[in-house]
Amino acid sequence: MGTTTVRTQVGIVGAGPAGLLLSHLLHLQRIESVVMETRSRAYCEGRVRAGVLEQGTVDLLIQSGVGERLQREGLKHDGIWLSFGGTRHFINMTELTGGKSITVYAQHEVITDLIKARLDAAGQILFGVQDVTIHDFGGDKSENPAPTIRFRQDGELFELRCDFIAGCDGSHGVCRPSIPDGVIKTYEKVYPFAWLGILAEAPPTSDELVYALHERGFALFSMRTPKITRLYLQCCPDENIANWPDERIWKELLLRLSSRNEGTHDAWVPATGAIIQKGITPMRSFVAEPMQFGRLFLAGDSAHIVPPTGAKGLNLAAADVQILAKGLAEFYSSGAKNTLNDYSRTCLRRVWKAQRFSWWMTTMLHRDEDASEFDHRRQLAELDYLIGSRAAMTSLAENYVGLPMD
Ligand code: FAD
Ligand code: DHB
């Protein structure tokens, strides 16, 4: 059977937030792209993941014309609660950052909006492709063969020739592993815990997110809509979800989140309800350096993973593609490659700061079974210092709402 050859300017592997937003931003600059995705459209639009959008991500989505539903349905938050030692303490991020905030709007809603925007503009997203491989992306000169993506769709073989390939295929994709050995240095830290996350049919009883450190481990109260809450609790990385019937999940969440259990004046408790989704996510920090090889650019989770405690993964993906889109627009309009050549360096400066923040939030708020009692007391002292110091709270707040792009 023959191979059908197609051409585009930018071939994008992966229809997650990075790939779809990149394709959308390129379209606004009149740059053509094709996105290919192994999963179906329904799967991508239903995949429950992140929920916290930094101020900069919200601004980018609104300014680029895909923020209409986000502005209508997103839940804007001015701060977070930190719960420890039986009491909740509010950190007012808007006040500490001169007016910035975060918005809770589910990642799959961002995906739904981006897919709609691309398809309404006759953009090409190929869902359900198979056997994706990338080739000839190492050379940087026009005389080198064009970067090529080969894939199969409905049994037919295709070859997409392009000027650049964007590897937006997440942590288990094909792009990063296709880079020759020795080019990329990786940094990794694996944590001895995971998050068990649920969606529940229960109205949020706190108007702001609650991050809790309890003797029994971390718990997080978040939300999706006025009727749906999103909650997480720390568990073991090798935990089997089958060992967590709904009653056990609620019991553990209520113990860790309700300050009432520790007999203090603050009697807040999350509402319970039917659990409509649950899953376990292991936690690690990972960075690949550089994020570029020849005409292949990595963006989002394909280049870096953060533990979710800082709520940074989706936001880093958006920041990467904002810079990549700017570099590609510059290249196509003037031939200049300054921004493209600086892509990895620019992104990584911010990525490492987000790594530091996510690591800090994670180690401050999780209970490590192998740590000493000294470490636990030190964690509590750190939290106690934090809520008593405007300087420390400001540092948390400015990282949480998102550091500036440059
Ligand atoms: P992905 O979303 O992983 O997208 C990659 C896409 O590529 C996928 O659609 C995949 O199917 C596709 N793909 C893979 N391999 C191939 C291939 N060979 N060919 C074609 N397509 C391929 N981040 C936040 O900012 N805030 C949060 O609050 C937050 N909370 C989280 C909570 C949980 C439980 C989890 C799991 C993650 C959370 N994150 C959060 C992280 C966030 O979800 C990710 O960082 C984000 O999805 C990264 O986007 P991406 O486009 O780089 O990768
Ligand atoms: C959510 C996810 C996070 O990782 C986080 O830190 C806060 C909230 C959420 O899914 O709502």
Side-chain angles (χ1 to χ4, degrees):
M1 205 181 352
T3 303
T4 309
T5 303
V6 220
R7 229 214 91 78
T8 192
Q9 289 176 296
V10 183
I12 301 176
V13 186
L20 291 168
L21 183 57
L22 177 64
S23 177
H24 173 66
L25 295 175
L26 292 177
H27 165 70
L28 297 180
Q29 302 284 341
R30 297 177 203 288
I31 299 166
E32 194 189 271
S33 67
V34 175
V35 181
M36 64 220 61
E37 165 63 51
T38 43
R39 303 290 192 163
S40 68
R41 178 177 179 181
Y43 183 91
C44 294
E45 291 184 344
R47 185 163 40 193
V48 176
R49 278 192 170 178
V52 173
L53 305 184
E54 291 176 356
Q55 179 78 57
T57 308
V58 170
D59 294 345
L60 175 64
L61 294 171
I62 294 172
Q63 281 156 20
S64 67
V66 283
E68 191 261 329
R69 206 160 63 92
L70 158 67
Q71 279 173 293
R72 207 164 8 100
E73 296 175 17
L75 306 169
K76 188 168 159 296
H77 290 274
D78 292 333
I80 55 169
W81 291 97
L82 286 180
S83 169
F84 60 96
T87 314
R88 289 190 305 154
H89 306 266
F90 189 61
I91 300 197
N92 190 328
M93 293 184 301
T94 302
E95 195 222 318
L96 292 162
T97 59
K100 293 190 179 146
S101 58
I102 57 104
T103 297
V104 169
Y105 186 66
Q107 175 167 326
H108 67 268
E109 304 292 3
V110 176
I111 295 288
T112 303
D113 296 345
L114 284 167
I115 291 176
K116 180 173 184 316
R118 287 310 295 123
L119 297 182
D120 284 353
Q124 286 199 71
I125 311 173
L126 310 176
F127 290 103
V129 301
Q130 292 167 321
D131 304 335
V132 177
T133 53
I134 61 171
H135 310 268
D136 298 329
F137 51 85
D140 201 16
K141 305 269 185 316
S142 49
E143 62 268 23
N144 293 128
T148 301
I149 305 174
R150 295 203 186 109
F151 60 97
R152 207 179 278 277
Q153 198 177 31
D154 301 327
E156 208 183 318
L157 276 174
F158 288 88
E159 198 168 89
L160 178 71
R161 301 231 169 114
C162 36
D163 302 330
F164 299 96
I165 298 176
C168 302
D169 47 350
S171 53
H172 299 107
V174 291
C175 290
R176 184 169 36 78
S178 304
I179 296 174
D181 288 347
V183 172
I184 286 200
K185 184 165 164 65
T186 59
Y187 302 82
E188 186 172 30
K189 181 173 176 62
V190 177
Y191 299 87
F193 18 79
W195 275 14
L196 191 164
I198 63 161
L199 275 179
E201 281 173 351
T205 49
S206 164
D207 49 357
E208 304 287 7
L209 275 62
V210 184
Y211 286 81
L213 172 64
H214 186 272
E215 300 268 297
R216 301 178 65 85
F218 172 79
L220 170 61
F221 170 89
S222 180
M223 63 207 71
R224 286 294 179 266
T225 70
K227 289 188 177 154
I228 305 281
T229 39
R230 174 90 169 130
L231 299 114
Y232 298 97
L233 62 87
Q234 173 187 346
C235 64
C236 295
D238 53 3
E239 194 72 72
N240 182 352
I241 195 84
N243 294 333
W244 284 88
D246 295 4
E247 312 77 65
R248 183 177 173 203
I249 295 176
W250 280 123
K251 187 165 169 247
E252 202 59 41
L253 281 169
L254 290 173
L255 265 174
R256 297 185 194 184
L257 283 167
S258 312
S259 355
R260 186 161 62 196
N261 293 315
E262 304 200 23
T264 66
H265 58 277
D266 180 351
W268 177 74
V269 272
T272 58
I275 295 179
I276 49 178
Q277 192 269 345
K278 55 181 160 180
I280 291 181
T281 314
M283 290 168 80
R284 67 184 177 124
S285 305
F286 173 86
V287 181
E289 280 198 37
M291 290 166 57
Q292 179 206 354
F293 177 64
R295 283 179 279 174
L296 168 66
F297 292 83
L298 302 177
D301 277 16
S302 76
H304 40 74
I305 311 283
V306 282
T309 329
K312 291 283 162 243
L314 186 158
N315 295 294
L316 285 176
D320 287 352
V321 299
Q322 187 173 9
I323 293 161
L324 185 53
K326 183 171 169 236
L328 290 167
E330 212 170 84
F331 171 76
Y332 281 112
S333 64
S334 71
K337 281 194 160 179
N338 307 25
T339 304
L340 280 184
N341 290 340
D342 274 351
Y343 169 73
S344 180
R345 197 184 55 80
T346 312
C347 292
L348 285 168
R349 275 189 76 190
R350 209 167 168 279
V351 165
W352 274 110
K353 287 178 204 154
Q355 288 288 0
R356 184 210 67 82
F357 176 68
S358 305
W359 163 86
W360 175 71
M361 287 283 280
T362 302
T363 49
M364 181 170 65
L365 289 166
H366 289 70
R367 191 85 207 251
D368 182 351
E369 272 178 19
D370 293 332
S372 63
E373 196 48 37
F374 174 88
D375 286 319
H376 186 52
R377 294 301 292 264
R378 183 189 46 72
Q379 278 178 305
L380 293 174
E382 182 151 18
L383 285 160
D384 196 21
Y385 164 67
L386 176 60
I387 53 118
S389 159
R390 191 174 171 89
M393 282 192 288
T394 306
S395 171
L396 187 155
E398 67 186 12
N399 279 279
Y400 196 82
V401 300
L403 294 174
M405 289 301 291
D406 281 318

